[in-house]
Amino acid sequence: MQGIINTAKELIDRYNTGESIKIMEVCGSHTMAISKYGLRQILPPNIKLISGPGCPVCVTAQNEIDASISLASQGVTIATFGDLVRVPGNDSSLQEERAKGRDVRVFYSPLDALDYAMANPSKEVVFIGIGFETTIPSVAMTIKEAYTKKIKNYSVYCLHKTMPKALEALVVNGSDIQGFLLPGHVSAITGSTIYNFLVDRYNIGGVVSGFEATDILMSVVMILKNLKDPKIEIQYKRVVKEEGNTYAQRLMDEVFEESDAEWRGLGMIEGSGLRIRDKYSEYDAEKKFKIKKPNSSTEIKGCRCGDVLKGIITPKQCPLFGKACTPLNPVGPCMVSSEGSCAAYYKYGE
Amino acid sequence: MDKVLMSHGGGGSMMQSFISEIFIEKFNNEYLNQMEDAALLPGKTVFTTDSFVVKPVFFPGGDIGRLAICGTVNDISMRGAKPLFLSASFIIEEGFPVDDIKKIVGSMVDAANEAGVQIVTGDTKVVEKNSADGIFINTAGIGILPDGAYVSIKNGKPGDVVIVSGTIGDHGMAVMGAREGLDFDPPLLSDVSPLNKMVEKLMALRDAVKILRDPTRGGVAEVLYEIAGMSNVGIKIHEDKLPVKESVKSACSMLGIDYLHLANEGKLVCVVDKDFAYKALEIMKEDKYGKDAAIIGEIDDSGLVTIETVYGTNRIVDRPIGELLPRIC
Ligand code: SF4
């Protein structure tokens, strides 16, 4: 292991010009891996890895959390992925709702939530669909299956977001990011060509990276190598193909269509979200339960998640970090989520 | 906080502050305030209690009955004491299959025989449908401390060595896998087992054995934090020395869970004087539940719990908070 690290270090030194270089990782799992392996200790000080908006929990807007919480109080069964239950809304969280006796259940896979709905026909099960292209196909699958099997008590509150438009929002007005560590799991579905606009329009390159320390270091080497002549490349070739997983793409496309979406910290981004197509509208919880999102201008006071997600500040530069805001008592979603940058910095003592 | 949350029972830092704020402060007496797995009472008697609410009740490698015996036997053993007598008390939900109770009681008998303890008193309550989840078991136990032993979570000193008695996280991942329908190949079994025989042999080293702790909920990470906090020291462990099954490792990386947070029901963490470290390791390895024992680190004076990664970097060990939640993407 040490040998591979040394090789990576040598290569980094060879291509390092010494100027300050900002590389943004846009995937929460990369953020965790970088902290967990202590990779910042291996990189020379002029190369900075900064975290972007790649944690699905962190970018879920405050009003979407509040809407999910109010849905729980309508007596439906809320089915959700892990961390979302802990995110504080305006005055509650899904886990606090659960403690009040609301039916909030954590599932590891959306298909389990559909199975649960089928096994409990007297309950109305609403899956809170958050996440990027990694999770979207499996949620699409549940909707298709519910449709085929004519299941009446399952629906999805679609809060899904897609990655490319968010990346564009970060660089559209100029930025000092010189390269992107592109998300491995997302790209396994989408392929890598969806990032070509970064080079074509903004002259910024990126590398689709795996999640081991050596993957990330080699991806950094690839970015450094191409600084003058930016490219989109795949380091994570063992999992990611240029064209992605076309079956999953078709499935996504069949069930969802593009819509605008609100991102925490980044605001409304045109075409960066999904909604359920009309054909499947009976599985759209937003329609079924007439969900009205509260006004979005209620971001938590003092929390600078927005700036953390844009890479403008590091978590430690937030005045609440480690004081009013800790994993035990999180103020913002970046501290709640196991993939959040604030949690990563705090947990691993960076 | 105005309502109890699941995370308050998850064995992490949320549970620790919950216990000290609500219970320790009010019950407050010299025995409870020892804050150990079992209380040391006058006459070298060691006393403990534990309740078991595992889901599913039958899991790969064991069931709630075996767990209820081993859990209490192990808590007594973690003071270096020899467990002797147990109580068993059942809260059963109306409608629970009698055949399942028979099976559970059968495993309790087997585990008690293996550990050499007797179940000498008990209680049964049946509650209405939906006011409990199947079956809950409470066991309490009494043991006796051998002469010359003084095991306490407050004993750690810089230079001491930290040993774990086998592979980490087997129980936690086996139960999580059974609950969530994950298939492991080869199948992953819980490690639930009584550790009193191993501890009895270890106690031949008398006060060279300083701390014993079974890393149940909260896993090895939480135990390391408890040791560091109660002994007022730091601990450094080494990732490449940690015994972990490949299947547990890959399930953890898939789910985004740290194996140091996973529960164990047949493992112990032991802090020993460094001159006796290899002797202690040898004793553990001779026991059938200690074959994979390994020295994983040492106590220092940093005040931090750190890990040297396989890449040669250093970082803080992530302290579990409460419920283990898998990552999303
Ligand atoms: S430290 Fe807490 S309050 Fe500050 S940005 Fe991070 S999550 Fe928000």
Short mmCIF file of all heavy atoms in Angstrom, two decimals, chain A residues 1-2 5 29 35-38 41-42 56-57 81-83 95-96 98-99 108 130 135 185 212-213 327-328 339 347-349, chain B residues 3-7 13-14 17 176 179-180 255 258 309-318 321 323-329:
data_model
loop_
_atom_site.label_atom_id
_atom_site.label_comp_id
_atom_site.label_asym_id
_atom_site.label_seq_id
_atom_site.Cartn_x
_atom_site.Cartn_y
_atom_site.Cartn_z
N MET A 1 0.83 -1.20 0.00
CA MET A 1 0.00 0.00 0.00
C MET A 1 0.87 1.25 0.00
O MET A 1 0.69 2.16 -0.78
CB MET A 1 -0.87 -0.01 1.25
CG MET A 1 -2.21 0.64 1.07
SD MET A 1 -3.17 -0.06 -0.28
CE MET A 1 -4.15 -1.24 0.61
N GLN A 2 1.86 1.25 0.90
CA GLN A 2 2.76 2.39 1.01
C GLN A 2 3.47 2.65 -0.32
O GLN A 2 3.68 3.79 -0.71
CB GLN A 2 3.76 2.09 2.13
CG GLN A 2 4.32 3.32 2.83
CD GLN A 2 3.22 4.25 3.34
OE1 GLN A 2 2.29 3.82 3.99
NE2 GLN A 2 3.34 5.53 3.01
N ILE A 5 1.27 4.50 -2.73
CA ILE A 5 1.16 5.89 -2.29
C ILE A 5 2.41 6.67 -2.69
O ILE A 5 2.32 7.79 -3.18
CB ILE A 5 0.96 5.95 -0.75
CG1 ILE A 5 -0.36 5.30 -0.36
CG2 ILE A 5 1.04 7.38 -0.23
CD1 ILE A 5 -1.59 6.03 -0.82
N SER A 29 -19.28 10.82 -1.19
CA SER A 29 -18.46 9.65 -0.83
C SER A 29 -16.98 9.96 -1.03
O SER A 29 -16.14 9.43 -0.32
CB SER A 29 -18.86 8.43 -1.67
OG SER A 29 -20.23 8.18 -1.50
N SER A 35 -11.23 12.45 3.70
CA SER A 35 -11.00 12.67 5.13
C SER A 35 -10.60 11.37 5.82
O SER A 35 -9.72 11.35 6.67
CB SER A 35 -12.25 13.22 5.79
OG SER A 35 -12.48 14.53 5.37
N LYS A 36 -11.27 10.29 5.46
CA LYS A 36 -11.05 9.02 6.14
C LYS A 36 -9.63 8.48 5.91
O LYS A 36 -9.02 7.92 6.81
CB LYS A 36 -12.09 8.02 5.65
CG LYS A 36 -12.13 6.76 6.46
CD LYS A 36 -13.34 5.94 6.16
CE LYS A 36 -13.22 4.65 6.96
NZ LYS A 36 -14.10 3.63 6.46
N TYR A 37 -9.13 8.67 4.69
CA TYR A 37 -7.77 8.19 4.42
C TYR A 37 -6.72 9.25 4.74
O TYR A 37 -5.53 9.01 4.56
CB TYR A 37 -7.63 7.78 2.95
CG TYR A 37 -8.58 6.69 2.49
CD1 TYR A 37 -9.29 6.81 1.31
CD2 TYR A 37 -8.73 5.53 3.25
CE1 TYR A 37 -10.16 5.81 0.89
CE2 TYR A 37 -9.60 4.54 2.83
CZ TYR A 37 -10.32 4.68 1.66
OH TYR A 37 -11.18 3.69 1.25
N GLY A 38 -7.17 10.43 5.16
CA GLY A 38 -6.22 11.50 5.49
C GLY A 38 -5.43 11.97 4.28
O GLY A 38 -4.25 12.27 4.38
N GLN A 41 -3.06 15.01 3.95
CA GLN A 41 -1.70 14.93 4.50
C GLN A 41 -0.70 14.47 3.44
O GLN A 41 0.49 14.69 3.56
CB GLN A 41 -1.66 13.93 5.67
CG GLN A 41 -2.50 14.35 6.86
CD GLN A 41 -2.76 13.17 7.80
OE1 GLN A 41 -1.90 12.32 8.00
NE2 GLN A 41 -3.94 13.12 8.38
N ILE A 42 -1.20 13.79 2.42
CA ILE A 42 -0.31 13.26 1.40
C ILE A 42 -0.06 14.29 0.30
O ILE A 42 1.02 14.36 -0.27
CB ILE A 42 -0.92 11.96 0.79
CG1 ILE A 42 -0.94 10.86 1.86
CG2 ILE A 42 -0.14 11.50 -0.43
CD1 ILE A 42 -1.64 9.60 1.41
N PRO A 56 -26.36 14.20 -1.30
CA PRO A 56 -27.78 14.37 -1.59
C PRO A 56 -28.58 14.93 -0.41
O PRO A 56 -29.53 15.70 -0.61
CB PRO A 56 -28.25 12.96 -1.94
CG PRO A 56 -27.15 12.03 -1.57
CD PRO A 56 -25.89 12.82 -1.45
N VAL A 57 -28.19 14.56 0.80
CA VAL A 57 -28.91 15.08 1.96
C VAL A 57 -28.63 16.58 2.11
O VAL A 57 -29.54 17.38 2.33
CB VAL A 57 -28.48 14.33 3.24
CG1 VAL A 57 -29.07 14.99 4.47
CG2 VAL A 57 -28.92 12.88 3.16
N PHE A 81 -34.41 7.02 2.95
CA PHE A 81 -33.04 6.56 3.14
C PHE A 81 -32.52 7.14 4.44
O PHE A 81 -32.97 8.20 4.88
CB PHE A 81 -32.14 7.09 2.03
CG PHE A 81 -32.38 6.50 0.68
CD1 PHE A 81 -32.53 7.33 -0.43
CD2 PHE A 81 -32.42 5.14 0.49
CE1 PHE A 81 -32.70 6.80 -1.69
CE2 PHE A 81 -32.59 4.61 -0.77
CZ PHE A 81 -32.73 5.44 -1.87
N GLY A 82 -31.48 6.51 4.94
CA GLY A 82 -30.81 6.84 6.20
C GLY A 82 -30.85 8.25 6.75
O GLY A 82 -31.79 8.63 7.45
N ASP A 83 -29.81 9.00 6.43
CA ASP A 83 -29.56 10.25 7.13
C ASP A 83 -30.66 11.28 7.11
O ASP A 83 -30.70 12.16 7.96
CB ASP A 83 -28.35 10.93 6.50
CG ASP A 83 -27.08 10.23 6.88
OD1 ASP A 83 -27.10 9.47 7.85
OD2 ASP A 83 -26.08 10.46 6.20
N GLN A 95 -36.92 12.25 12.48
CA GLN A 95 -36.73 11.36 13.64
C GLN A 95 -37.52 11.85 14.86
O GLN A 95 -37.99 11.06 15.66
CB GLN A 95 -35.25 11.12 13.96
CG GLN A 95 -34.52 12.27 14.60
CD GLN A 95 -33.11 11.86 15.06
OE1 GLN A 95 -32.73 10.70 14.96
NE2 GLN A 95 -32.35 12.80 15.57
N GLU A 96 -37.67 13.18 14.97
CA GLU A 96 -38.51 13.68 16.07
C GLU A 96 -39.98 13.35 15.81
O GLU A 96 -40.72 13.06 16.74
CB GLU A 96 -38.31 15.18 16.25
CG GLU A 96 -37.02 15.51 16.97
CD GLU A 96 -36.71 17.01 16.95
OE1 GLU A 96 -37.62 17.82 17.17
OE2 GLU A 96 -35.54 17.35 16.68
N ARG A 98 -40.96 10.72 14.27
CA ARG A 98 -41.08 9.29 14.59
C ARG A 98 -41.27 9.11 16.10
O ARG A 98 -42.08 8.31 16.53
CB ARG A 98 -39.83 8.56 14.11
CG ARG A 98 -39.88 7.06 14.31
CD ARG A 98 -38.71 6.38 13.63
NE ARG A 98 -37.44 6.81 14.19
CZ ARG A 98 -36.26 6.41 13.73
NH1 ARG A 98 -36.18 5.58 12.70
NH2 ARG A 98 -35.14 6.84 14.27
N ALA A 99 -40.51 9.90 16.88
CA ALA A 99 -40.65 9.78 18.33
C ALA A 99 -42.03 10.23 18.80
O ALA A 99 -42.51 9.80 19.84
CB ALA A 99 -39.55 10.60 19.02
N TYR A 108 -33.22 0.54 3.17
CA TYR A 108 -31.91 0.53 2.54
C TYR A 108 -32.05 0.63 1.03
O TYR A 108 -31.14 1.02 0.34
CB TYR A 108 -31.14 -0.75 2.88
CG TYR A 108 -30.63 -0.77 4.28
CD1 TYR A 108 -31.42 -0.37 5.34
CD2 TYR A 108 -29.33 -1.17 4.55
CE1 TYR A 108 -30.96 -0.38 6.63
CE2 TYR A 108 -28.85 -1.18 5.84
CZ TYR A 108 -29.67 -0.78 6.88
OH TYR A 108 -29.20 -0.79 8.16
N ILE A 130 -34.83 11.19 -2.67
CA ILE A 130 -33.75 12.17 -2.81
C ILE A 130 -32.55 11.46 -3.41
O ILE A 130 -32.49 10.23 -3.46
CB ILE A 130 -33.35 12.82 -1.46
CG1 ILE A 130 -32.72 11.80 -0.52
CG2 ILE A 130 -34.52 13.50 -0.80
CD1 ILE A 130 -31.88 12.45 0.55
N THR A 135 -29.20 6.85 -7.36
CA THR A 135 -30.37 6.23 -6.73
C THR A 135 -31.62 6.34 -7.61
O THR A 135 -32.57 5.59 -7.41
CB THR A 135 -30.68 6.91 -5.38
OG1 THR A 135 -30.71 8.32 -5.59
CG2 THR A 135 -29.65 6.58 -4.34
N HIS A 185 -20.05 6.91 -8.63
CA HIS A 185 -21.31 6.15 -8.66
C HIS A 185 -22.31 6.76 -9.64
O HIS A 185 -22.98 6.07 -10.38
CB HIS A 185 -21.92 6.07 -7.26
CG HIS A 185 -21.08 5.29 -6.30
ND1 HIS A 185 -20.88 5.69 -5.00
CD2 HIS A 185 -20.36 4.17 -6.46
CE1 HIS A 185 -20.08 4.83 -4.40
NE2 HIS A 185 -19.75 3.89 -5.27
N GLU A 212 -11.17 4.55 -3.59
CA GLU A 212 -10.02 4.17 -2.77
C GLU A 212 -9.03 5.34 -2.76
O GLU A 212 -9.03 6.16 -3.69
CB GLU A 212 -9.33 2.94 -3.35
CG GLU A 212 -10.18 1.68 -3.35
CD GLU A 212 -10.55 1.24 -1.94
OE1 GLU A 212 -9.68 1.33 -1.06
OE2 GLU A 212 -11.70 0.85 -1.73
N ALA A 213 -8.17 5.38 -1.75
CA ALA A 213 -7.18 6.45 -1.68
C ALA A 213 -6.36 6.51 -2.95
O ALA A 213 -6.10 7.60 -3.49
CB ALA A 213 -6.28 6.22 -0.47
N PRO A 327 -21.88 16.77 15.23
CA PRO A 327 -22.74 15.66 14.78
C PRO A 327 -23.81 15.29 15.80
O PRO A 327 -24.89 14.82 15.45
CB PRO A 327 -21.75 14.50 14.60
CG PRO A 327 -20.45 15.16 14.33
CD PRO A 327 -20.46 16.41 15.15
N LEU A 328 -23.52 15.53 17.07
CA LEU A 328 -24.49 15.21 18.12
C LEU A 328 -25.64 16.21 18.10
O LEU A 328 -26.77 15.90 18.46
CB LEU A 328 -23.77 15.29 19.47
CG LEU A 328 -24.35 14.54 20.63
CD1 LEU A 328 -24.47 13.08 20.29
CD2 LEU A 328 -23.47 14.71 21.87
N GLU A 339 -22.27 11.87 4.59
CA GLU A 339 -21.44 12.28 3.45
C GLU A 339 -21.18 13.78 3.43
O GLU A 339 -20.60 14.31 2.49
CB GLU A 339 -22.13 11.90 2.14
CG GLU A 339 -22.24 10.42 1.94
CD GLU A 339 -23.36 10.10 0.95
OE1 GLU A 339 -23.41 10.71 -0.12
OE2 GLU A 339 -24.18 9.24 1.28
N LYS A 347 -15.63 14.67 12.16
CA LYS A 347 -15.42 13.29 12.60
C LYS A 347 -13.96 12.89 12.55
O LYS A 347 -13.47 12.18 13.40
CB LYS A 347 -16.15 12.34 11.66
CG LYS A 347 -17.62 12.27 11.88
CD LYS A 347 -18.16 11.30 10.86
CE LYS A 347 -19.64 11.12 11.04
NZ LYS A 347 -20.17 10.21 10.03
N TYR A 348 -13.30 13.29 11.47
CA TYR A 348 -11.94 12.83 11.28
C TYR A 348 -10.91 13.86 11.70
O TYR A 348 -9.73 13.72 11.41
CB TYR A 348 -11.75 12.38 9.83
CG TYR A 348 -12.66 11.23 9.46
CD1 TYR A 348 -13.46 11.26 8.34
CD2 TYR A 348 -12.74 10.10 10.28
CE1 TYR A 348 -14.30 10.20 8.01
CE2 TYR A 348 -13.58 9.04 9.97
CZ TYR A 348 -14.36 9.10 8.83
OH TYR A 348 -15.19 8.06 8.53
N GLY A 349 -11.40 14.90 12.40
CA GLY A 349 -10.48 15.83 13.06
C GLY A 349 -9.60 16.62 12.11
O GLY A 349 -8.42 16.83 12.39
N LYS B 3 -38.24 14.61 23.54
CA LYS B 3 -38.71 13.24 23.30
C LYS B 3 -37.48 12.33 23.14
O LYS B 3 -36.46 12.76 22.60
CB LYS B 3 -39.52 13.17 22.00
CG LYS B 3 -40.84 13.94 22.03
CD LYS B 3 -41.99 12.99 22.32
CE LYS B 3 -43.37 13.59 22.08
NZ LYS B 3 -43.63 14.90 22.63
N VAL B 4 -37.62 11.11 23.61
CA VAL B 4 -36.53 10.14 23.43
C VAL B 4 -36.50 9.70 21.97
O VAL B 4 -37.55 9.45 21.37
CB VAL B 4 -36.74 8.93 24.35
CG1 VAL B 4 -35.70 7.86 24.08
CG2 VAL B 4 -36.70 9.37 25.80
N LEU B 5 -35.31 9.65 21.40
CA LEU B 5 -35.15 9.22 20.01
C LEU B 5 -34.46 7.86 19.97
O LEU B 5 -33.79 7.48 20.92
CB LEU B 5 -34.31 10.24 19.24
CG LEU B 5 -34.81 11.69 19.26
CD1 LEU B 5 -33.83 12.60 18.51
CD2 LEU B 5 -36.18 11.79 18.62
N MET B 6 -34.60 7.16 18.85
CA MET B 6 -33.92 5.88 18.69
C MET B 6 -32.42 6.03 18.96
O MET B 6 -31.79 5.17 19.55
CB MET B 6 -34.11 5.34 17.26
CG MET B 6 -35.45 4.73 16.97
SD MET B 6 -35.85 3.35 18.04
CE MET B 6 -34.77 2.08 17.36
N SER B 7 -31.85 7.13 18.53
CA SER B 7 -30.40 7.34 18.69
C SER B 7 -29.99 7.39 20.15
O SER B 7 -28.83 7.17 20.48
CB SER B 7 -29.95 8.63 18.02
OG SER B 7 -30.77 8.96 16.95
N SER B 13 -22.41 8.37 21.37
CA SER B 13 -22.25 9.50 22.27
C SER B 13 -23.59 10.07 22.74
O SER B 13 -23.70 10.59 23.85
CB SER B 13 -21.41 10.59 21.60
OG SER B 13 -21.86 10.82 20.29
N MET B 14 -24.64 9.95 21.89
CA MET B 14 -25.95 10.45 22.33
C MET B 14 -26.45 9.68 23.53
O MET B 14 -27.01 10.24 24.46
CB MET B 14 -26.97 10.32 21.20
CG MET B 14 -27.09 11.58 20.37
SD MET B 14 -28.27 11.41 19.03
CE MET B 14 -29.77 12.03 19.77
N SER B 17 -24.51 10.70 26.84
CA SER B 17 -24.92 11.92 27.53
C SER B 17 -26.33 11.76 28.09
O SER B 17 -26.65 12.31 29.15
CB SER B 17 -24.79 13.16 26.64
OG SER B 17 -25.28 12.91 25.37
N MET B 176 -27.74 -6.83 10.82
CA MET B 176 -28.17 -5.84 9.83
C MET B 176 -28.50 -6.53 8.51
O MET B 176 -29.51 -6.25 7.87
CB MET B 176 -27.05 -4.82 9.61
CG MET B 176 -27.49 -3.61 8.84
SD MET B 176 -26.14 -2.42 8.64
CE MET B 176 -26.11 -1.62 10.20
N ARG B 179 -31.77 -8.33 8.77
CA ARG B 179 -32.90 -7.40 8.81
C ARG B 179 -33.18 -6.83 7.43
O ARG B 179 -34.31 -6.62 7.05
CB ARG B 179 -32.56 -6.26 9.78
CG ARG B 179 -33.76 -5.64 10.40
CD ARG B 179 -33.42 -4.88 11.67
NE ARG B 179 -32.23 -4.06 11.51
CZ ARG B 179 -31.45 -3.71 12.53
NH1 ARG B 179 -31.71 -4.15 13.74
NH2 ARG B 179 -30.39 -2.97 12.33
N GLU B 180 -32.12 -6.60 6.68
CA GLU B 180 -32.28 -5.91 5.40
C GLU B 180 -32.23 -6.84 4.20
O GLU B 180 -32.24 -6.40 3.07
CB GLU B 180 -31.20 -4.83 5.25
CG GLU B 180 -31.16 -3.82 6.38
CD GLU B 180 -32.50 -3.14 6.60
OE1 GLU B 180 -33.26 -3.01 5.63
OE2 GLU B 180 -32.80 -2.78 7.75
N LEU B 255 -22.26 0.00 2.29
CA LEU B 255 -23.30 0.73 3.03
C LEU B 255 -22.80 2.05 3.61
O LEU B 255 -23.58 2.82 4.17
CB LEU B 255 -23.84 -0.14 4.17
CG LEU B 255 -24.54 -1.44 3.75
CD1 LEU B 255 -24.79 -2.33 4.94
CD2 LEU B 255 -25.85 -1.12 3.04
N ASP B 258 -18.86 2.33 9.20
CA ASP B 258 -17.53 2.06 9.72
C ASP B 258 -17.60 0.77 10.55
O ASP B 258 -18.40 0.69 11.48
CB ASP B 258 -17.12 3.25 10.60
CG ASP B 258 -15.65 3.21 10.98
OD1 ASP B 258 -15.08 2.10 11.01
OD2 ASP B 258 -15.09 4.28 11.27
N THR B 309 -3.78 5.09 9.29
CA THR B 309 -4.41 4.38 8.19
C THR B 309 -3.39 3.50 7.47
O THR B 309 -2.18 3.66 7.67
CB THR B 309 -5.03 5.35 7.16
OG1 THR B 309 -3.97 5.98 6.43
CG2 THR B 309 -5.90 6.40 7.82
N VAL B 310 -3.89 2.62 6.61
CA VAL B 310 -2.97 1.76 5.85
C VAL B 310 -2.12 2.60 4.88
O VAL B 310 -1.15 2.10 4.32
CB VAL B 310 -3.71 0.67 5.03
CG1 VAL B 310 -4.23 -0.40 5.93
CG2 VAL B 310 -4.84 1.27 4.21
N TYR B 311 -2.50 3.87 4.70
CA TYR B 311 -1.73 4.73 3.81
C TYR B 311 -0.69 5.54 4.57
O TYR B 311 -0.06 6.44 4.01
CB TYR B 311 -2.68 5.67 3.05
CG TYR B 311 -3.73 4.91 2.30
CD1 TYR B 311 -5.02 4.79 2.81
CD2 TYR B 311 -3.41 4.24 1.12
CE1 TYR B 311 -5.98 4.04 2.13
CE2 TYR B 311 -4.36 3.49 0.45
CZ TYR B 311 -5.64 3.39 0.95
OH TYR B 311 -6.57 2.65 0.29
N GLY B 312 -0.56 5.26 5.86
CA GLY B 312 0.45 5.95 6.65
C GLY B 312 0.01 7.31 7.15
O GLY B 312 0.78 8.02 7.78
N THR B 313 -1.25 7.69 6.88
CA THR B 313 -1.74 8.97 7.40
C THR B 313 -2.43 8.73 8.75
O THR B 313 -2.74 7.59 9.10
CB THR B 313 -2.76 9.59 6.43
OG1 THR B 313 -3.78 8.62 6.16
CG2 THR B 313 -2.10 9.97 5.11
N ASN B 314 -2.63 9.82 9.47
CA ASN B 314 -3.28 9.70 10.78
C ASN B 314 -4.56 10.50 10.81
O ASN B 314 -4.62 11.59 10.25
CB ASN B 314 -2.36 10.26 11.87
CG ASN B 314 -1.21 9.34 12.09
OD1 ASN B 314 -1.38 8.23 12.58
ND2 ASN B 314 -0.03 9.77 11.68
N ARG B 315 -5.55 9.96 11.48
CA ARG B 315 -6.78 10.74 11.66
C ARG B 315 -7.47 10.31 12.94
O ARG B 315 -7.09 9.30 13.56
CB ARG B 315 -7.70 10.56 10.47
CG ARG B 315 -8.22 9.14 10.34
CD ARG B 315 -9.42 9.06 9.44
NE ARG B 315 -9.75 7.69 9.11
CZ ARG B 315 -10.55 6.91 9.83
NH1 ARG B 315 -11.10 7.36 10.95
NH2 ARG B 315 -10.80 5.68 9.45
N ILE B 316 -8.47 11.10 13.30
CA ILE B 316 -9.26 10.77 14.48
C ILE B 316 -10.21 9.61 14.15
O ILE B 316 -10.71 9.51 13.03
CB ILE B 316 -10.04 12.03 14.91
CG1 ILE B 316 -9.05 13.00 15.57
CG2 ILE B 316 -11.19 11.70 15.83
CD1 ILE B 316 -9.68 14.25 16.09
N VAL B 317 -10.44 8.74 15.09
CA VAL B 317 -11.43 7.68 14.90
C VAL B 317 -12.81 8.31 15.04
O VAL B 317 -13.06 9.08 15.98
CB VAL B 317 -11.25 6.56 15.95
CG1 VAL B 317 -12.41 5.58 15.93
CG2 VAL B 317 -9.93 5.82 15.72
N ASP B 318 -13.69 8.00 14.11
CA ASP B 318 -15.03 8.55 14.12
C ASP B 318 -15.81 7.95 15.30
O ASP B 318 -15.92 6.74 15.42
CB ASP B 318 -15.67 8.18 12.77
CG ASP B 318 -17.11 8.62 12.66
OD1 ASP B 318 -17.53 9.44 13.48
OD2 ASP B 318 -17.79 8.12 11.75
N ILE B 321 -22.51 8.03 16.80
CA ILE B 321 -23.45 8.96 17.43
C ILE B 321 -24.65 8.21 18.00
O ILE B 321 -25.00 8.33 19.15
CB ILE B 321 -23.96 10.00 16.41
CG1 ILE B 321 -22.78 10.76 15.84
CG2 ILE B 321 -24.94 10.95 17.07
CD1 ILE B 321 -23.17 11.72 14.74
N GLU B 323 -27.99 5.69 16.07
CA GLU B 323 -28.40 4.70 15.08
C GLU B 323 -27.40 4.60 13.93
O GLU B 323 -26.90 5.61 13.46
CB GLU B 323 -29.69 5.23 14.43
CG GLU B 323 -30.95 4.65 14.95
CD GLU B 323 -32.11 5.26 14.16
OE1 GLU B 323 -32.38 6.47 14.30
OE2 GLU B 323 -32.74 4.51 13.42
N LEU B 324 -27.14 3.40 13.44
CA LEU B 324 -26.30 3.23 12.27
C LEU B 324 -27.17 3.39 11.03
O LEU B 324 -28.08 2.60 10.80
CB LEU B 324 -25.69 1.83 12.25
CG LEU B 324 -24.52 1.58 13.19
CD1 LEU B 324 -24.01 0.17 13.01
CD2 LEU B 324 -23.42 2.59 12.96
N LEU B 325 -26.89 4.40 10.24
CA LEU B 325 -27.69 4.63 9.05
C LEU B 325 -26.81 4.48 7.81
O LEU B 325 -25.75 5.07 7.74
CB LEU B 325 -28.29 6.05 9.09
CG LEU B 325 -29.24 6.32 10.25
CD1 LEU B 325 -29.59 7.79 10.33
CD2 LEU B 325 -30.50 5.48 10.12
N PRO B 326 -27.26 3.70 6.85
CA PRO B 326 -26.44 3.52 5.65
C PRO B 326 -26.45 4.79 4.81
O PRO B 326 -27.38 5.56 4.87
CB PRO B 326 -27.15 2.39 4.91
CG PRO B 326 -28.55 2.44 5.39
CD PRO B 326 -28.53 2.97 6.79
N ARG B 327 -25.39 4.95 4.03
CA ARG B 327 -25.35 6.16 3.21
C ARG B 327 -26.27 6.02 2.00
O ARG B 327 -26.74 4.95 1.66
CB ARG B 327 -23.91 6.42 2.76
CG ARG B 327 -23.45 5.43 1.72
CD ARG B 327 -22.56 6.03 0.70
NE ARG B 327 -21.84 4.94 0.04
CZ ARG B 327 -20.60 4.64 0.30
NH1 ARG B 327 -19.91 5.34 1.18
NH2 ARG B 327 -20.03 3.63 -0.31
N ILE B 328 -26.50 7.14 1.35
CA ILE B 328 -27.49 7.16 0.29
C ILE B 328 -26.88 6.86 -1.06
O ILE B 328 -27.44 6.11 -1.84
CB ILE B 328 -28.19 8.53 0.29
CG1 ILE B 328 -29.01 8.64 1.56
CG2 ILE B 328 -29.07 8.67 -0.94
CD1 ILE B 328 -29.62 9.96 1.78
N CYS B 329 -25.71 7.48 -1.35
CA CYS B 329 -25.27 7.35 -2.74
C CYS B 329 -24.00 6.54 -2.88
O CYS B 329 -23.34 6.29 -1.92
CB CYS B 329 -25.17 8.71 -3.37
SG CYS B 329 -23.55 9.27 -3.73
#
